[in-house]
Amino acid sequence: MPLLPELIVTPRLRLRVPDAADSGELNAAVIASFTELTRWLPWAQEPQTLAETEDYCRSSREKWLSDECLNLLLVTKSDGAIIGSAGYPRLDWEVPSFEIGYWCSTAEIGKGYVSEATYALAAHAFSQLSAARVELRVDDLNERSWRVAQRLGFQLEGLLRSDTRDANGRLRDTRVYGAVALQDLRSS
Ligand SMILES: CC(C)(COP(=O)(O)OP(=O)(O)OC[C@H]1O[C@@H](n2cnc3c(N)ncnc32)[C@H](O)[C@@H]1OP(=O)(O)O)[C@@H](O)C(=O)NCCC(=O)NCCS
């Protein structure tokens, strides 16, 4: 069995590994949120095709099974709608350390779903996966995203100046937020 979870349940959400049957609804959510996603996410530079979303769902399941990384869908408990994704896009089992990443459907922004999912992912990492460290890496210009980190109590550890280029080729400054114990964090 993988060490990484297949399902995490929060007060309002089920976070679960995608499967092929999710492709249509997930693709529609990505397309509907394109304007917001394309500004910040390298994988969202072109409108995603259904075949690409199917590949994403299949490879997410494979990567979960092999403990390589974790992509979970955000699914509302109230109506079962797919409203985004969150997970550990990068992890290091030697430390162990986990980076948390996320996106949310434009129509569902501003409801606290991402903070709720991020806290649950951090809590799972510390309590179930013996994490020594959980971190978020955010473009300094992406204020909505770094407000998630700050809301939950992640500590701003540094600003990596010109450490990468964004999807448009612009040099990007990256904020690094970290936590080394669940007690550092609050649920929102
Ligand atoms: C970054 C992103 C995920 C933030 O989404 P978000 O909806 O602002 O984040 P949350 O779900 O945590 O919601 C927080 C907002 O909901 C409000 N809110 C409402 N109910 C809430 C609740 N129960 N708990 C917490 N916040 C709540 C908060 O006040 C806050 O609003 P504010 O920012 O206007 O003050 C979203 O803008 C997005 O998907 N962007 C594109 C992709 C992206 O940038 N990904 C991150 C790359 S690093």
Side-chain angles (χ1 to χ4, degrees), residues 12 36-37 40-41 102-104 109-115 137 142 144-145 147-148 151 188:
R12 294 179 296 168
E36 185 68 24
L37 300 184
W40 306 114
L41 300 175
Y102 43 68
W103 66 269
C104 178
I109 283 175
K111 299 180 183 175
Y113 286 130
V114 174
S115 293
R137 289 176 175 252
N142 194 348
R144 277 209 90 87
S145 185
R147 283 218 306 265
V148 173
R151 182 175 301 112
S188 75

